[in-house]
Each structure stands twice: as structure tokens, then as C-alpha cells.
Amino acid sequence: MKIGICGCAGRMGRMLMDSVLDTDGCDLSGGSERSGSPTIGRDLGTLIGRDALGLTASDDITALFEASDALIDFTAPAATVAHAALAAEHGKILVVGTTGLTPEDEKALAAAAQRTIIVHAPNYSVGVTLLTALTERAAQVLGDDFDIEIVEMHHRHKVDAPSGTALGLGRAAAAGRKVALDQVWCKSRDGHTGARRRGEIGFATLRGGDVVGDHSVIFAAEGERVELTHKASSRAIFARGAVRAALWAEGRAPGLYTMRDVLGL
């Protein structure tokens, strides 16, 4: 499979190129960057500390789609929406790990997925995917007697909060209770907030240092507490999961899939 990387010069982009090159059955078809980036024209191999590959970073995204069977996109919401439209136009697989998407952005992905294969997940870690499934099941079994709080911590440079993974865990918990997350969430608390509402799903966001990603889902009731936790120590796990998703997607029917589909959960 020929896999191209959108946003190839970023931290995740470089990890993704490494992962493609280290995975059997994959070839790196190229990488794109925004116009004006100082990395335009640089060899992708030397960009990630390897021997030259004869492929250079380019701002010609259309050419990258034409050269690839699948593209992996961990960029920004506006770019991802544009890439989804191109994926539909060219009939190419798109694996999306971009966070901070609005409901309108997600609708655009769903519309593009009517014509091509799109895998969209807030987190491509196998462990986090399992955590999400366990969260839904625990919320279903434990019921409203248990308060749900989701705590996440990331590095100081992360720009969106709560994290996409935390929101994904919140959606899983809400699904377990058969409610819509936006009807029960509490994204922050400050001042005199009053007592906690029954059925509320709370979020707490921490930022600092170089933390790759820590997520905990806490189920707290009278006399007992259940905690489910995942801690990531390397971004490489996300890159490996995304490449795995791209390989899994080959030959699938057009549609919008998740990492839970990839793992059969």
C-alpha cells in the first residue's frame, strides 16, 4: 500500500513516516506541508534522520492524493475537511487523527465517507481503543448511581481542551447510558457551582511538561470507586495504530469507520 502523510513535518507527521517505513506491506508515497513551510523541498528521509528517499515535502496536496492509495491526516480541522473532500473525489482511503473538529466538520467527514473509506478516531492507540470499549460497558453496567469524571493531561503545547480522546471517552460513557453527551457533560467547574447533577459526565483538563497523553475515567459511588486509566509514553503508538488502520481499510466498502472497527470491538 502506498501511504502519504499530510502534515509530514510536524511531530506526528514525522512519527507517521517512520512507522510507514518500518511496516511490512507499506511504501511511503510522499508528504505534504502547508504552502510557505520551510520544509518544502526537503527530502523526507533526511527530515526524519534517515538516508535520503528521493521524496520531498510538497505543498501539492492533489499530487499526493494521486500518488497514494491511502493518506494519514493528523493536521488541523480546516485542512482535514478539505482533505476529506479530495479523498472522496479521488476515491482514496483517508485515516484521520485530527482533533478539535466541530460538529460541522464531522458532518463533512461523514458526507465524504459516502463516496470513499474514511477512518476517524480521536486516538489510534490500541490501548485507548480498548479503554473506550470498557468505558461504554462500565457505564452501562454501573448506571446512574456512579458519577463519571474524565481526567486528561497532555503536554503544554496542546491547543484543544478537553482532548479529543477525553471527549471520545465521554461519548462512550454517554452511549453506555443511552444519552447524548452534550446533554449531560460538564467541561469545567469554577466558583460556587452547587451540588453535582445526577447523571453528569464531568471533565478535568491538565496541561504541562511533555506528557504524551494520560486519560482516566473515574466511576465514583457511595462507598466504592472504579478507575480505568491509560498512559501513553510515546507518540509512536498512535502512528502504528494509524498505519494499521490504513492497511485494514483496504478493500472495505465506502463508509465512516473508527478504530473500534479496526480492532473488531
Side-chain angles (χ1 to χ4, degrees), residues 108-134:
L109 291 190
Q114 295 178 12
R115 299 168 56 196
T116 194
I117 305 157
I118 295 180
V119 182
H120 176 217
N123 192 306
Y124 281 89
S125 156
V126 172
V128 165
T129 305
L130 179 58
L131 174 63
T132 304
L134 292 172

Side-chain angles (χ1 to χ4, degrees), residues 164-209:
T165 300
L167 292 172
L169 291 167
R171 281 190 287 270
R177 290 183 168 178
K178 296 183 171 22
V179 297
L181 179 61
D182 60 5
Q183 294 177 358
V184 297
W185 64 18
C186 178
K187 290 186 177 179
S188 64
R189 298 186 180 94
D190 183 47
H192 192 275
T193 61
R196 191 185 197 281
R197 292 181 297 146
R198 184 178 177 87
E200 186 174 83
I201 297 176
F203 292 84
T205 297
L206 309 177
R207 293 286 179 267

Side-chain angles (χ1 to χ4, degrees), residues 142-162:
L142 298 175
D144 286 352
D145 287 339
F146 282 75
D147 300 322
I148 300 176
E149 292 289 316
I150 298 169
V151 182
E152 59 101 341
M153 183 171 185
H154 285 83
H155 53 87
R156 63 168 65 97
H157 302 292
K158 188 167 179 60
V159 298
D160 57 310

Side-chain angles (χ1 to χ4, degrees), residues 88-122:
E89 179 183 343
H90 291 272
K92 301 300 175 75
I93 296 166
L94 183 66
V95 175
V96 175
T98 303
T99 59
L101 298 177
T102 66
E104 291 72 24
D105 295 335
E106 292 178 352
K107 288 178 182 177
L109 291 190
Q114 295 178 12
R115 299 168 56 196
T116 194
I117 305 157
I118 295 180
V119 182
H120 176 217

Side-chain angles (χ1 to χ4, degrees), residues 22 57 81-82 91 111 139 154 170 172 180-181 186 210 223 228 234 237 240 252:
D22 289 339
V81 169
H154 285 83
L181 179 61
C186 178
D210 62 353
L228 304 174
S234 170
I237 62 172
R240 288 196 298 267
R252 304 282 169 179

